[in-house]
């Protein structure tokens, strides 16, 4: 997506603990939690990086 | 078209606030259906597992060894220099009294709801709200892969910190960064914690939050941290701060981690609005967590009882409107709002205090015996010895 940095949510379980902190804190409600999967809506996300701060275990990176 | 079932009250989420709401609505005569997206109520646990006990009779919860690990005498607040201020349980905030097994506690509340006549569906997630104009009339759900509609005159959003229901209903629930904590906790064994106390460590070990130790007996304890999001600079800082704290405390660094949980906690002022036509929010979804302590169980249950009673009444009178739900809005606010607001102000001030000031405050408290522990009384006490410290808090004095 032009003009947007890459947002990567590691939700395969190597880092992610599926706690939902990112989901609850996303101001645009564009992160979704299944029991074993976290996804986000590329079209809505503005890369505000709140989820990066919310995540207690560094499973979300922006670059 | 998906098939449709009907009920009087649909409760989305089977945590403590949801079960409590469901139970009281059923006890007041409504048909209640409670849905839970997970396969098991209460699991996985996302909680420090400390709670006070004074509020339990008010909402009809009987203490049971099935969910109580142990009873603590009080709390110890540690200054950055690790001077302890000991608080007797009766005077402590909402987090001290019992250390519990949250999964067993949540299950007990669901059992109580079931016994009161509530129907429960597991593995059933809400996908969206059903609306007729502005009126919420139920939810589209997915149960074990099958999508269908549940129509109900009253829908309750009890779906926790990551609540979708409130947002779908158009109730503003977004939080400022400074009003959220990023939390992480390990359950650790082989640690030396004092089973008489829940411990809290303040200062830059946990910027804007604290490190907690909730002992579970036999060398087991929950060791966790909350860090204010506005003070977080990079990825994964909650874990970095917690690991650093553990590494610096030999009683814990020798421990073994056997469990790890995380999550978000709101530390916000009360929401302006928790109801809309056909819908009410309760518990963490309604941002009812105490912003000073981060505890949400007691407030969720207390509001849940009021919410359930109002839900049943709205069904009976056929008045599931925003106007009628003011009865809930006013009810929970009368019971909880003043303290939530005061504690939010106190949190706002405390979050910005440098370590030296925390040290002075704890020092001052050590030298005084307080009749009743409250933010107000603490400030009055500190004001006597360190007026320069309390200057910032003038509006609370």
């Amino acid at each position: 997506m032009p003009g947007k940095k890459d947002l990567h949510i590691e939700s395969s379980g190597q880092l992610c603990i599926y706690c939902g902190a990112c989901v609850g804190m996303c101001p645009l409600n564009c992160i979704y939690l299944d029991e074993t999967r976290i996804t986000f809506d590329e079209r809505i996300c503005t890369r505000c990086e709140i989820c990066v701060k919310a995540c207690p275990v560094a499973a979300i990176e922006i670059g | 078209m998906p098939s449709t079932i009907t009920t009087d009250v649909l409760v989305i989420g089977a945590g403590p606030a949801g079960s409590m709401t469901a139970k009281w609505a059923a006890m007041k005569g409504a048909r209640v259906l409670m849905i839970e997206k997970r396969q098991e109520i209460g699991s996985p646990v996302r909680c420090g597992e400390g709670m006070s006990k004074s509020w339990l009779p008010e909402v009809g919860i009987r203490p049971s060894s099935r969910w109580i690990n142990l009873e603590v005498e009080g709390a110890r607040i540690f200054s950055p220099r690790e001077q302890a201020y000991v608080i007797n349980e009766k005077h402590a905030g909402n987090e001290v009294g019992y250390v519990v097994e949250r999964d067993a506690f949540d299950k007990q509340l669901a059992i109580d709801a079931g016994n009161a006549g509530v129907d429960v569906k597991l593995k059933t997630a809400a996908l969206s709200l059903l609306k007729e104009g502005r009126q919420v009339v139920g939810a589209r759900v997915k149960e074990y892969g099958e999508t269908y509609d549940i129509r109900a005159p009253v829908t309750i959003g009890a779906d926790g910190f990551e609540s979708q229901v409130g947002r779908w209903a158009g109730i503003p629930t977004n939080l400022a960064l400074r009003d959220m904590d990023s939390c992480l906790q390990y359950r650790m064994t082989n640690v030396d914690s004092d089973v008489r106390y829940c411990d809290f460590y303040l200062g830059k070990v946990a910027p804007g939050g604290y490190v907690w130790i909730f002992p579970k007996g036999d060398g087991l304890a929950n060791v966790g941290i909350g860090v204010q999001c506005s003070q977080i600079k990079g990825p994964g800082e909650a874990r970095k701060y917690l690991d650093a704290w553990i590494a610096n405390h030999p009683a814990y660094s020798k421990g073994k981690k056997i469990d790890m949980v995380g999550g978000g906690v709101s530390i916000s002022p009360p929401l302006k609005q928790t109801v809309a036509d056909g819908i009410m929010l309760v518990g963490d979804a309604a941002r009812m967590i105490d912003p000073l302590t981060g505890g949400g169980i007691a407030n969720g249950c207390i509001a849940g009882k009021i919410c359930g009673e109002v839900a049943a009444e709205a069904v009976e009178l056929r008045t599931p409107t925003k106007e009628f739900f003011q009865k809930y809005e006013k009810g929970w606010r009368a019971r909880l709002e003043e303290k939530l607001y005061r504690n939010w102000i106190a949190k706002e001030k405390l979050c910005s205090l440098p370590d030296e000031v925390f040290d002075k405050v704890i020092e001052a408290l050590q030298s005084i015996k307080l009749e009743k522990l409250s933010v107000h009384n603490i400030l009055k006490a500190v004001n006597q010895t360190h007026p320069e410290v309390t200057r910032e808090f003038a509006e609370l004095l």
Side-chain angles (χ1 to χ4, degrees):
Chain A
M1 169 138 311
K4 283 189 184 180
K5 297 175 189 169
D6 278 340
L7 175 76
H8 179 66
I9 302 181
E10 191 297 308
S11 74
S12 69
Q14 289 181 48
L15 301 173
C16 178
I17 55 173
Y18 309 108
C19 72
C22 55
V23 178
M25 294 193 203
C26 174
L28 296 168
N29 203 19
C30 75
I31 308 180
Y32 314 102
L33 170 68
D34 265 338
E35 284 305 88
T36 56
R37 204 167 56 109
I38 290 187
T39 52
F40 75 102
D41 192 323
E42 174 70 41
R43 294 163 303 172
I44 300 172
C45 174
T46 61
R47 310 302 194 264
C48 73
E49 306 195 17
I50 286 175
C51 57
V52 178
K53 296 182 175 185
C55 177
V57 293
I60 306 180
E61 279 185 343
I62 219 153
Chain B
M1 276 291 282
S3 62
T4 298
I5 63 170
T6 62
T7 186
D8 291 338
V9 179
L10 169 63
V11 178
I12 299 170
S19 283
M20 190 56 61
T21 304
K23 181 182 95 170
W24 283 95
M27 282 172 46
K28 296 288 174 183
R31 287 184 305 154
V32 184
L33 176 57
M34 178 166 70
I35 65 171
E36 168 57 49
K37 70 178 176 184
R38 299 171 181 169
Q39 65 207 14
E40 184 182 343
I41 290 170
S43 177
V45 173
R46 287 190 208 141
C47 179
E49 300 186 302
M51 65 164 77
S52 68
K53 41 194 175 179
S54 58
W55 57 278
L56 294 167
E58 176 181 344
V59 297
I61 300 175
R62 270 207 305 271
S64 159
S65 59
R66 273 197 250 179
W67 49 266
I68 297 171
N69 275 133
L70 54 84
E71 228 175 307
V72 290
E73 283 173 28
R76 291 186 300 192
I77 315 286
F78 289 85
S79 68
R81 282 195 313 182
E82 305 216 346
Q83 300 289 305
Y85 175 61
V86 181
I87 302 168
N88 179 285
E89 178 270 324
K90 284 201 192 84
H91 297 160
N94 276 347
E95 278 36 75
V96 181
Y98 294 132
V99 178
V100 304
E101 295 284 312
R102 254 307 288 281
D103 46 350
F105 178 77
D106 285 21
K107 284 186 181 76
Q108 184 60 55
L109 265 51
I111 289 167
D112 291 348
N115 290 344
V118 173
D119 281 329
V120 185
K121 284 181 182 290
L122 302 176
K123 216 75 177 156
T124 305
L127 301 177
S128 60
L129 293 175
L130 306 176
K131 288 183 190 173
E132 285 174 358
R134 282 165 42 183
Q135 185 79 24
V136 173
V137 292
R140 178 156 295 177
V141 305
K142 198 173 194 179
E143 177 185 13
Y144 223 81
E146 186 201 347
T147 300
Y148 63 98
D149 290 346
I150 302 173
R151 288 185 68 92
V154 181
T155 300
I156 309 292
D159 51 337
F161 176 75
E162 60 264 37
S163 176
Q164 303 292 299
V165 172
R167 304 190 199 212
W168 292 338
I171 298 172
T173 56
N174 271 356
L175 300 164
L177 262 186
R178 68 174 197 279
D179 288 335
M180 299 186 281
D181 264 12
S182 174
C183 300
L184 189 70
Q185 171 183 275
Y186 301 120
R187 184 172 294 200
M188 299 183 77
T189 188
N190 197 36
V191 299
D192 295 327
S193 51
D194 191 328
V195 294
R196 295 174 300 169
Y197 300 108
C198 288
D199 289 341
F200 301 87
Y201 291 80
L202 302 177
K204 62 172 185 284
V205 291
Y210 57 78
V211 169
W212 68 80
I213 312 286
F214 293 162
K216 294 176 80 75
D218 298 322
L220 199 62
N222 287 339
V223 182
I225 194 169
V227 182
Q228 190 181 24
C229 286
S230 54
Q231 301 201 39
I232 290 176
K233 294 177 183 66
E237 283 195 1
R239 178 162 164 255
K240 285 177 199 160
Y241 279 111
L242 181 58
D243 287 349
W245 187 92
I246 290 170
N248 285 326
H249 290 78
Y252 296 93
S253 59
K254 70 187 177 71
K256 329 270 183 218
K257 298 165 193 157
I258 58 164
D259 186 2
M260 177 176 178
V261 298
V265 169
S266 63
I267 48 171
S268 65
L271 291 184
K272 296 246 178 329
Q273 175 195 355
T274 59
V275 302
D277 289 317
I279 189 157
M280 295 184 272
L281 301 181
V282 67
D284 290 8
R287 313 300 188 209
M288 288 172 176
I289 292 175
D290 185 312
L292 193 60
T293 65
I297 303 169
N299 288 354
C301 288
I302 290 166
K305 176 171 185 276
I306 302 167
C307 189
E309 290 172 342
V310 172
E313 208 181 335
V315 169
E316 199 187 330
L317 301 173
R318 298 172 188 268
T319 53
T321 61
K322 186 176 175 180
E323 288 66 40
F324 186 80
F325 292 158
Q326 294 307 311
K327 193 166 180 182
Y328 163 64
E329 191 88 272
K330 287 184 183 140
W332 78 258
R333 287 182 198 281
R335 179 67 179 76
L336 302 171
E337 187 171 43
E338 193 193 337
K339 188 176 174 199
L340 284 174
Y341 191 72
R342 288 185 78 90
N343 282 0
W344 176 71
I345 301 270
K347 180 263 326 186
E348 287 283 282
K349 304 287 186 188
L350 286 171
C351 281
S352 58
L353 286 189
D355 279 6
E356 312 83 76
V357 181
F358 271 127
D359 284 327
K360 279 186 190 170
V361 171
I362 297 293
E363 211 172 90
L365 286 172
Q366 280 177 324
S367 61
I368 313 157
K369 218 177 175 71
L370 289 177
E371 278 299 301
K372 186 174 184 306
L373 194 89
S374 65
V375 171
H376 184 247
N377 282 352
I378 288 177
L379 290 174
K380 267 204 322 203
V382 176
N383 193 43
Q384 286 166 13
T385 46
H386 294 85
E388 76 283 5
V389 171
T390 50
R391 201 173 305 132
E392 290 233 349
F393 296 80
E395 62 196 282
L396 288 175
L397 269 165

